């Protein structure tokens, strides 16, 4: 019995289909590779970089984020020190309540200590006016944590006598969820401590 031979035209059609399929896959693969290279190149061209002090390259986006954080941090510290130290008999409760939103328990503990020491009672008893004159904060980064040192100049008006003081305080900053208007910058002061307080003059 003779073995039947396949139709030559069917074999040629199958071979042609296989060749066309391989060519089409190759074209698609090449087109995708070219597109990926072009897309990556465009992203690289549209990206900007900055040189770090040690010579390493930093994406400008990261630099911008750090600059934005610094602006937010300085504004946060300025807001806190104004609320906490710019007080008088008419506004101290309202200002201190706002200040407590900007720090953790270290700020609350300091507030309670001042209250126990009679600071706010004297404010009411003698109608004292404590006015912030300037706030100067320095922020440093150490392994992802942010430390600050703030020098606050304020005066206490006792009516006929005005005394000026310099307060140096330190602490850390951590990022939290924004809570407008209570905490608009999304930062929280931790480990807050009043380091030194000195009188700058005895005039007036």
């Amino acid at each position: 019995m003779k073995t039947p031979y396949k139709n030559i035209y069917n074999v040629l059609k199958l071979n042609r289909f296989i060749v066309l399929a391989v060519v089409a896959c190759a074209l698609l693969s090449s087109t995708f590779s070219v597109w990926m290279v072009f897309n990556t190149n465009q992203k690289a061209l549209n990206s900007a970089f900055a040189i770090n002090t040690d010579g390493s390259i930093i994406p400008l986006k990261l630099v911008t984020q750090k600059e934005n954080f610094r602006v937010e941090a300085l504004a946060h510290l300025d807001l806190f020190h104004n609320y906490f130290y710019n007080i008088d008999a008419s506004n101290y409760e309202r200002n201190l309540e706002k200040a407590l939103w900007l720090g953790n328990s270290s700020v609350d503990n300091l507030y309670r200590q001042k209250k126990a020491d009679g600071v706010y009672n004297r404010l009411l008893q003698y109608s004292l006016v404590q006015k912030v004159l300037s706030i100067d904060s320095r922020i440093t980064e150490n392994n992802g944590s942010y430390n600050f040192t703030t020098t606050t100049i304020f005066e206490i008006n006792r009516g006929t006598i005005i005394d000026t003081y310099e307060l140096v305080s330190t602490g850390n900053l951590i990022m939290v969820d924004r809570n407008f208007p209570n905490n608009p910058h999304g930062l929280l002061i931790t480990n807050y401590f009043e380091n030194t307080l000195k009188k700058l003059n005895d005039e007036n």
Side-chain angles (χ1 to χ4, degrees), residues 81-180:
H81 286 84
N82 264 304
Y83 281 149
F84 203 72
Y85 298 104
N86 201 71
I87 54 177
D88 57 40
S90 65
N91 70 9
Y92 83 96
E93 289 184 330
R94 181 174 64 254
N95 280 9
L96 291 173
E97 181 181 356
K98 292 178 180 179
L100 292 175
W101 276 96
L102 307 178
N104 73 346
S105 58
S106 62
V107 173
D108 185 62
N109 291 338
L110 178 61
Y111 159 72
R112 292 177 184 276
Q113 182 61 50
K114 286 178 178 289
K115 188 175 182 180
D117 291 341
V119 172
Y120 306 119
N121 282 338
R122 288 193 293 274
L123 194 75
L124 293 171
Q125 184 177 357
Y126 300 106
S127 298
L128 304 179
V129 176
Q130 185 169 294
K131 180 180 179 182
V132 171
L133 302 178
S134 68
I135 300 170
D136 179 32
S137 297
R138 297 185 301 279
I139 301 169
T140 57
E141 181 184 1
N142 185 17
N143 296 326
S145 65
Y146 295 90
N147 312 315
F148 69 85
T149 300
T150 300
T151 302
T152 305
I153 307 295
F154 64 91
E155 65 181 21
I156 297 180
N157 189 327
R158 296 179 171 87
T160 58
I161 300 174
I162 299 177
D163 293 324
T164 305
Y165 296 87
E166 178 188 82
L167 170 69
V168 177
S169 56
T170 58
N172 304 103
L173 287 170
I174 60 173
M175 287 179 280
V176 296
D177 291 336
R178 294 178 190 270
N179 184 346
F180 187 84

Side-chain angles (χ1 to χ4, degrees), residues 55-70:
S56 60
I57 297 176
I58 309 173
L60 193 58
K61 184 178 180 181
L62 180 60
V63 175
T64 304
Q65 287 177 346
K66 287 189 175 183
E67 289 178 349
N68 289 342
F69 174 85
R70 179 176 175 79

Side-chain angles (χ1 to χ4, degrees), residues 32-63:
F32 180 76
S33 299
V34 170
W35 178 81
M36 285 293 294
V37 171
F38 177 79
N39 190 45
T40 303
N41 183 60
Q42 286 298 110
K43 287 182 178 179
L45 290 175
N46 291 331
S47 299
F49 300 89
I51 306 298
N52 199 1
T53 53
D54 60 2
S56 60
I57 297 176
I58 309 173
L60 193 58
K61 184 178 180 181
L62 180 60
V63 175

